[in-house]
Amino acid sequence: MSDLLIASLKNDDPSAMEQIFHIHWEKVFDLAFKKLGDEILAQDITQEIFISLWEKRKKLDLTGNLSGYLCGAVKNRVIDYYRSSSIKDIHQVEYANLMNQRREIAPDEHLIRQDTAKEVEAVLQLLPERMRLVISMSREQDKTVKEIAAELNISVQTVKNQITTAMKILRENLSYLLLIAFLWF
Protein backbone atom coordinates (compact mmCIF):
# COMPACT_ATOMS: atom_id res chain seq x y z
CA MET A 1 0.00 0.00 0.00
CA SER A 2 2.84 2.38 0.80
CA ASP A 3 4.35 1.98 -2.69
CA LEU A 4 0.96 2.76 -4.23
CA LEU A 5 0.57 5.87 -2.05
CA ILE A 6 4.05 7.06 -2.95
CA ALA A 7 3.36 6.52 -6.65
CA SER A 8 0.07 8.43 -6.35
CA LEU A 9 1.84 11.20 -4.44
CA LYS A 10 4.43 11.51 -7.21
CA ASN A 11 1.55 11.82 -9.68
CA ASP A 12 0.27 14.91 -7.84
CA ASP A 13 -2.63 13.14 -6.13
CA PRO A 14 -3.70 15.29 -3.16
CA SER A 15 -5.76 12.42 -1.70
CA ALA A 16 -2.55 10.34 -1.48
CA MET A 17 -0.94 13.17 0.47
CA GLU A 18 -3.97 13.33 2.75
CA GLN A 19 -3.80 9.57 3.39
CA ILE A 20 -0.07 9.73 4.11
CA PHE A 21 -0.66 12.59 6.51
CA HIS A 22 -3.42 10.74 8.38
CA ILE A 23 -1.37 7.54 8.59
CA HIS A 24 1.92 9.12 9.71
CA TRP A 25 1.25 12.50 11.36
CA GLU A 26 0.89 11.15 14.90
CA LYS A 27 4.15 9.18 14.75
CA VAL A 28 5.98 12.18 13.27
CA PHE A 29 4.53 14.51 15.91
CA ASP A 30 5.28 12.10 18.79
CA LEU A 31 8.88 11.72 17.67
CA ALA A 32 9.36 15.49 17.30
CA PHE A 33 7.71 16.10 20.66
CA LYS A 34 9.89 13.50 22.39
CA LYS A 35 13.01 15.11 20.98
CA LEU A 36 12.03 18.73 21.66
CA GLY A 37 9.71 18.61 24.64
CA ASP A 38 7.80 21.54 23.16
CA GLU A 39 4.35 20.84 21.72
CA ILE A 40 4.11 23.99 19.58
CA LEU A 41 7.58 23.49 18.12
CA ALA A 42 6.82 19.79 17.48
CA GLN A 43 3.62 20.80 15.66
CA ASP A 44 5.56 23.30 13.53
CA ILE A 45 8.21 20.75 12.62
CA THR A 46 5.55 18.14 11.82
CA GLN A 47 3.80 20.60 9.52
CA GLU A 48 7.07 21.58 7.84
CA ILE A 49 7.91 17.93 7.18
CA PHE A 50 4.61 17.23 5.45
CA ILE A 51 4.78 20.46 3.45
CA SER A 52 8.29 19.52 2.36
CA LEU A 53 7.10 16.02 1.44
CA TRP A 54 4.47 17.51 -0.85
CA GLU A 55 6.91 20.00 -2.36
CA LYS A 56 9.54 17.31 -3.02
CA ARG A 57 7.09 14.61 -4.15
CA LYS A 58 8.44 14.50 -7.73
CA LYS A 59 12.03 13.98 -6.56
CA LEU A 60 11.34 11.33 -3.90
CA ASP A 61 13.30 8.14 -4.26
CA LEU A 62 11.39 5.90 -1.86
CA THR A 63 10.45 2.29 -2.22
CA GLY A 64 7.95 1.64 0.54
CA ASN A 65 9.98 3.02 3.44
CA LEU A 66 8.08 6.24 3.95
CA SER A 67 8.06 5.82 7.73
CA GLY A 68 11.86 5.68 7.81
CA TYR A 69 12.06 8.72 5.55
CA LEU A 70 9.74 10.69 7.84
CA CYS A 71 11.67 9.68 10.99
CA GLY A 72 14.88 10.83 9.32
CA ALA A 73 13.20 14.10 8.40
CA VAL A 74 12.24 14.64 12.05
CA LYS A 75 15.80 13.98 13.17
CA ASN A 76 17.19 16.42 10.60
CA ARG A 77 14.67 19.15 11.46
CA VAL A 78 15.40 18.80 15.19
CA ILE A 79 19.14 18.99 14.58
CA ASP A 80 18.58 22.04 12.35
CA TYR A 81 16.57 23.65 15.13
CA TYR A 82 19.37 23.14 17.65
CA ARG A 83 21.91 24.41 15.15
CA SER A 84 19.95 27.59 14.51
CA SER A 85 21.77 30.77 15.32
CA SER A 86 19.58 31.74 18.27
CA ILE A 87 20.12 28.43 20.04
CA LYS A 88 23.78 28.36 19.03
CA ASP A 89 24.36 31.83 20.49
CA ILE A 90 22.80 30.84 23.80
CA HIS A 91 24.99 27.76 24.17
CA GLN A 92 28.22 28.88 22.54
CA VAL A 93 29.96 29.82 25.79
CA GLU A 94 28.74 26.66 27.55
CA TYR A 95 29.96 24.56 24.64
CA ALA A 96 33.44 26.11 24.77
CA ASN A 97 33.64 25.57 28.53
CA LEU A 98 32.45 21.98 28.19
CA MET A 99 35.03 21.20 25.51
CA ASN A 100 37.82 22.70 27.62
CA GLN A 101 36.72 20.74 30.69
CA ARG A 102 36.50 17.52 28.73
CA ARG A 103 40.02 17.93 27.33
CA GLU A 104 41.41 18.48 30.81
CA ILE A 105 39.35 15.84 32.62
CA ALA A 106 39.22 12.96 30.17
CA PRO A 107 41.10 12.87 26.90
CA ASP A 108 39.97 9.29 26.37
CA GLU A 109 36.64 8.97 24.55
CA HIS A 110 35.41 6.25 26.92
CA LEU A 111 35.89 8.56 29.88
CA ILE A 112 34.13 11.38 28.05
CA ARG A 113 31.11 9.16 27.48
CA GLN A 114 31.10 8.17 31.14
CA ASP A 115 31.30 11.84 32.18
CA THR A 116 28.50 12.75 29.82
CA ALA A 117 26.31 9.95 31.13
CA LYS A 118 27.00 11.08 34.71
CA GLU A 119 26.13 14.68 33.88
CA VAL A 120 22.88 13.68 32.21
CA GLU A 121 22.02 11.33 35.08
CA ALA A 122 22.72 14.07 37.63
CA VAL A 123 20.32 16.42 35.89
CA LEU A 124 17.73 13.66 35.56
CA GLN A 125 17.93 13.17 39.32
CA LEU A 126 16.78 16.79 39.73
CA LEU A 127 13.44 15.83 38.20
CA PRO A 128 10.52 14.71 40.37
CA GLU A 129 10.12 10.93 40.49
CA ARG A 130 6.99 10.78 38.29
CA MET A 131 8.61 13.06 35.70
CA ARG A 132 11.74 10.87 35.65
CA LEU A 133 9.50 7.85 35.06
CA VAL A 134 7.77 9.56 32.12
CA ILE A 135 11.14 10.59 30.61
CA SER A 136 12.52 7.09 31.12
CA MET A 137 9.52 5.53 29.39
CA SER A 138 9.79 8.05 26.57
CA ARG A 139 13.56 7.93 25.99
CA GLU A 140 14.82 4.58 27.25
CA GLN A 141 11.77 2.44 26.52
CA ASP A 142 10.88 4.42 23.36
CA LYS A 143 7.16 4.55 24.22
CA THR A 144 4.77 7.00 22.61
CA VAL A 145 2.91 9.65 24.57
CA LYS A 146 -0.29 7.60 24.30
CA GLU A 147 1.41 4.43 25.52
CA ILE A 148 2.86 6.23 28.54
CA ALA A 149 -0.50 7.80 29.37
CA ALA A 150 -2.28 4.44 29.16
CA GLU A 151 0.34 2.62 31.22
CA LEU A 152 0.44 5.26 33.97
CA ASN A 153 -3.32 5.85 33.81
CA ILE A 154 -2.91 9.59 33.24
CA SER A 155 -4.01 11.88 30.44
CA VAL A 156 -2.03 12.37 27.25
CA GLN A 157 -1.84 16.08 28.08
CA THR A 158 -0.30 15.29 31.48
CA VAL A 159 2.39 13.22 29.77
CA LYS A 160 3.06 16.07 27.31
CA ASN A 161 3.26 18.56 30.18
CA GLN A 162 5.70 16.30 32.07
CA ILE A 163 7.94 15.94 29.00
CA THR A 164 7.80 19.68 28.27
CA THR A 165 8.75 20.57 31.84
CA ALA A 166 11.51 17.96 31.92
CA MET A 167 12.99 19.22 28.66
CA LYS A 168 13.00 22.79 29.99
CA ILE A 169 14.90 21.62 33.07
CA LEU A 170 17.34 19.66 30.90
CA ARG A 171 17.89 22.65 28.58
CA GLU A 172 18.61 24.86 31.57
CA ASN A 173 21.10 22.42 33.08
CA LEU A 174 22.81 20.77 30.11
CA SER A 175 24.91 22.25 27.37
CA TYR A 176 23.87 22.10 23.72
CA LEU A 177 25.93 19.00 22.91
CA LEU A 178 24.88 17.05 25.99
CA LEU A 179 21.25 17.74 25.22
CA ILE A 180 21.68 16.51 21.62
CA ALA A 181 23.48 13.40 22.89
CA PHE A 182 20.67 12.71 25.37
CA LEU A 183 18.00 13.11 22.71
CA TRP A 184 19.51 10.84 20.05
CA PHE A 185 21.52 8.18 21.86
Side-chain angles (χ1 to χ4, degrees):
M1 178 176 177
S2 187
D3 287 337
L4 182 60
L5 276 176
I6 292 168
S8 296
L9 179 69
K10 286 182 176 184
N11 287 324
D12 301 327
D13 183 357
S15 66
M17 182 66 209
E18 188 174 326
Q19 284 182 328
I20 290 169
F21 177 80
H22 286 295
I23 292 168
H24 295 282
W25 80 266
E26 187 173 3
K27 182 178 181 178
V28 170
F29 171 79
D30 279 349
L31 183 58
F33 182 70
K34 281 171 58 176
K35 302 302 179 191
L36 296 165
D38 183 317
E39 188 173 356
I40 306 258
L41 188 55
Q43 288 173 351
D44 290 345
I45 284 179
T46 300
Q47 183 178 10
E48 289 172 10
I49 288 170
F50 285 104
I51 289 170
S52 176
L53 179 66
W54 178 254
E55 290 172 347
K56 296 178 180 179
R57 66 189 178 278
K58 296 283 189 185
K59 301 174 192 169
L60 285 178
D61 187 24
L62 298 172
T63 53
N65 193 5
L66 185 57
S67 183
Y69 172 84
L70 293 171
C71 287
V74 170
K75 181 177 180 178
N76 291 334
R77 294 281 176 153
V78 169
I79 289 171
D80 289 347
Y81 167 75
Y82 282 111
R83 285 183 181 160
S84 72
S85 61
S86 61
I87 297 298
K88 206 183 257 187
D89 291 343
I90 292 169
H91 295 289
Q92 192 171 25
V93 171
E94 288 180 14
Y95 173 74
N97 289 338
L98 177 67
M99 294 310 290
N100 288 335
Q101 284 178 343
R102 291 240 172 122
R103 280 189 211 118
E104 294 170 15
I105 294 173
D108 182 27
E109 185 177 334
H110 179 69
L111 292 175
I112 291 172
R113 287 183 183 185
Q114 286 179 336
D115 288 346
T116 302
K118 286 178 186 175
E119 289 178 48
V120 170
E121 187 58 36
V123 174
L124 289 174
Q125 291 305 312
L126 297 173
L127 302 175
E129 183 178 339
R130 186 73 156 194
M131 193 178 291
R132 266 196 323 267
L133 177 60
V134 168
I135 289 297
S136 172
M137 294 172 80
S138 172
R139 297 300 187 278
E140 296 169 17
Q141 298 172 24
D142 203 29
K143 294 187 178 190
T144 67
V145 171
K146 282 186 177 180
E147 291 170 337
I148 295 168
E151 192 170 319
L152 297 178
N153 198 26
I154 57 178
S155 74
V156 168
Q157 188 59 47
T158 299
V159 173
K160 289 178 181 179
N161 292 345
Q162 292 281 325
I163 292 173
T164 299
T165 303
M167 293 307 293
K168 285 179 184 175
I169 292 169
L170 288 166
R171 278 188 209 108
E172 290 169 1
N173 291 283
L174 292 176
S175 72
Y176 165 75
L177 286 181
L178 285 178
L179 187 58
I180 294 292
F182 172 72
L183 292 173
W184 292 109
F185 301 105

